[in-house]
Each structure stands twice: as structure tokens, then as C-alpha cells.
Amino acid sequence: MTEQPQPLQAPPVQPPPEQSGARLHPLTPFVKGWGYFVVAAIAMVNNESLRSNLTLAGIGLAVVLVGGILLGALSWWFTKWQLTDEAIRVDSGFLVRRTRIIRFDRIQAIDVAQPFVARLFGMAELRMDVAGGGKSDGKLSYFTYDEAVKLRRILLVRAKGERAVEHSAEQPKPEPILTVPTNRLLGATLLSSTVIASAGGLVWLIIATTVLEFHIGLFAGLPLLLGVVQPIWKQVVGNHGFTLSESHDGLRTKRGLFDVQRQTVPPGRVQGLLITEPIIWRLLGWSRVELDIAGVAGNPAEGEDDREGAQLLPVGDRGEVAFVLARILPGLDLARIPMHQAPERAKWLRPIGWRYLSYGFDGQVLVTTRGWVSRRTSIVLHHKTQSVRLEQGPLQRRLGLANVHVDTPLGPTDAIALHRDQYEAAQVLEAQADRAREARRTAPSPFAVQTQPNPPSPEGSSSSAASPADDSSAT
């Protein structure tokens, strides 16, 4: 009797081991927490009792240093990140656990930044612009600079739907196409209205206190001094060496004397543009250009400015402004767009500024201008329009005027056609809604993302919806 062969059984499938994730650079706690030690040292130096007892002061600083290192080490130990098939996952927190899952298809752009202390140790952080999230949601710090650059390349390709990019070839270094001189940054900052007004107030306060013997007190000059120092620090130091380059990912900016900031402007992600021309700058032909980009606007819940966007050009002449606009939106030429001025009766509401109220459009964008002290030119792409609404206050109703608002995602762009004839405003409302609808139908949309529109005013307004807030073309 022959023995029947037993059927072969497949070996039991073992579940894949759970990925625990990787930790950040071991020096991350020091790079993040050095500021607390400096603040404690300054506070102790200013304390007279501690200055007289150096032993007690030294013990206090040692406690602050050791405590900060321990807390930072705990935070670092419980912070891990890992790449999954569809997202990057970040787990953090040792008392309250927090998990962030950033899907690849929500990533708009990724930049490598190097704060001053991180640069000293050759470290960098990743800053991911995530659609619908705040700026802090996409931060991951710190890595070595080479690791940050490699991870950025992996995430960018994963975000485009490709896989296995760990060994992809290095991309060539972007070629600079425009650089802003430091002397122009300094001159533009000193000639800004904020600095001039603060400096004038500070000079008057000094004269009133010392010469005229008014008992005002120089302590009242601290806000005025801050109004002079803060813009200089932000514009001159923050934008030092501003360079605009062109890469395969889009336009890329690099700026900063101490903290080096790099930012990428992905093609197709621009929501709108804002050109600002202070009155003294206009005499010199200077302007500033800012962008609305999905995922870049600040989160008010986190103390960020929801009107803050990407800076494309901190200060440039008219030729440079036209050059960068053409790079961002090929075919755009503001000089060729016919502008329609506000009716003369608008001077009852804007006695001087009514002459500078206008709007215009072409097949690609709608443009509005306003302001004579600081002129603002807002540019909105038709297919990025989220809604169009009409507002009319009581004085405007008596004058037969109305405002037309073109709503876009949160950012610096604020397109408003102010004080139009009410019948013209109604026509603009319907025409822009039609242009936006047609542009969304024909414009390509690489990713479907959620955005946050500017909140409309509920009082005294009517609207014509150009697109819902979660429309994929509104990114």
C-alpha cells in the first residue's frame, strides 16, 4: 500500500514588523532650546540680588541648563517620523501624545531652512507647505543639511505620485535670475512710511523732553524705537542676499543673513499676487511683490498672520517687477490691461484716493488698484476665484455706488473694486463669475486640495458663487 503524498502547505504569513520610525538629530534639543537659557541668563544678570551672589546665580543657570536639556531630550526621544505608502507620519509629545499624518498629495512645496544656530552645526529643518494647514503643521526639525536635502527630494517625488526615489539623481543647482542689492533693501526700508513716521515721532519726543522740557519721558519712545528697528531687522537682515532662481520645481527664493530661508513657488499653485507701492517708493519706481500660495498663509489659531504670504520680490524697479510677473504668469503684462476708473461721485467717500480706484481684466486675471499713500495692486487669476460678492453701505446707496469683492484663499491678495456705479458693479459681479467658471473648466488642476477662503461679510452683501471652497481648481 503506497502512501499518498501530503499536499504542500504554504508557510504561515508573518505580519510585517511595525515600523517604529526614526528620530531627529541628537542635537535638536540644544538647537531648539538655547534661547531659553539665554533669556534666563539675561534675567539673572538684571537681578541685583543674584548679581551680588554669584554662587546662587551659577546654581540657577545650571538648573535652567540641565532642566532644559532634560526636557528637550525627553521631547526628542518621544519624537519619531516615518514614511508610509501615502504619507509622512510624525509622532511627538511625552505627556500629551500628538500624531501628524501629512499625505503626500497635500504637500504643495517643501523647503530647507537653516536658522542661525542650526547653521553653526550644519543642520537644517524641512518646511512643508500643506494645503489647509498652518505653517507649524509642516515643520520637521532638525536633520543634517544633506539628510534634509535628500528627504526633501524624496518627498517631492512621492508627492508627484512616483516611488522608489531614494537613489534618484541629484538635480542641478538652480541658476540665479535676479538678486536684490543690500543697499536697495536698506534704502527702501528707511524710506518706508512706518520708519519715517516712527523716526519723526522719536525725534520730536527727544526734542520735547530735552529742549522744550516737556515731562513726557523717554520711556514713551520705546514703541517708536521699535517702529524703526523692527522694519530694518525684518527687511534688511531678513532679506539680505535675496536671490530668485529658477529650478525644475518652480521659482525658488533664498534670503537671510543669519537665518537662511529658502522657499519654492510651485507652478500652478499661485492663487494671487499683490504689488505694494508706498508713496516715496513710487517716486523712485520701486515696488514689492507678494504671492498667495496654498498652504503658505498663517494660522490665526497659532498666532500667525493669516494675511502673510510668500515674498517674491522685497523691492524692485518696474522692469524687475514686470520680469518676475512674466515668470510667474507667462503672458501677463499689466501695462496692456485696460483699467476702468471709479466714477467722480466717489470723491464724496474718498476725496483724494478716488482717482486711484480702478479695476481691469484680461483673459487670464482680474486686477484692482486702490490707495494713494500706499498703492495696492491686487491680481487674481480667474480660475482661482472662489466667489464674487457685492457690498453696498448706506452712504453708497445714496450715491448709487457699490463694492465688488473677489474672494480668494487666505493671503495678502485682497481684490476689491471699490465704489463702482451700482449697475456696473452688478455687471462686474456676473461677468467675473462667468469668467471664473469658464476658466476653471479649461484650466488644468494637478491636485485636488482644500483651501480656506477669505470669510465674506454677512451684512449688506450679495454674492455670486464662482466655486465652492473645496473645489479642486481653487488651489
Side-chain angles (χ1 to χ4, degrees), residues 307-325:
R307 293 291 180 180
E308 183 179 356
Q311 193 164 213
L312 181 63
L313 187 62
V315 56
D317 58 34
R318 292 185 175 92
E320 292 171 338
V321 170
F323 173 76
V324 298
L325 290 181

Side-chain angles (χ1 to χ4, degrees), residues 426-457:
Q427 294 175 355
V428 173
L429 178 80
E430 297 300 329
Q432 181 59 24
D434 292 339
R435 284 190 291 265
R437 191 179 302 111
E438 177 63 21
R440 288 197 316 275
R441 188 181 65 83
T442 58
S445 180
F447 299 105
V449 299
Q450 304 283 338
T451 55
Q452 299 173 348
N454 291 332
S457 173

Side-chain angles (χ1 to χ4, degrees), residues 100 172 256 370:
R100 286 178 291 161
R370 69 181 189 271

Side-chain angles (χ1 to χ4, degrees), residues 111 127 129 135 234-235 239 242 253 255 261 263-265 269-274 288-299 304-314 376 409-414:
D111 301 300
R127 296 181 179 178
D129 296 336
K135 291 186 177 181
K234 181 178 180 180
Q235 296 298 326
N239 290 320
F242 186 95
T253 63
R255 60 188 174 91
Q261 309 288 334
Q263 192 167 34
T264 303
V265 182
R269 292 300 184 187
V270 176
Q271 316 282 353
L273 302 95
L274 175 65
R288 178 173 62 250
V289 183
E290 298 173 89
L291 298 175
D292 284 357
I293 301 179
V296 174
N299 187 351
E304 300 172 343
D305 185 3
D306 61 2
R307 293 291 180 180
E308 183 179 356
Q311 193 164 213
L312 181 63
L313 187 62
R376 294 167 58 92
L410 291 174
T413 305
D414 186 17

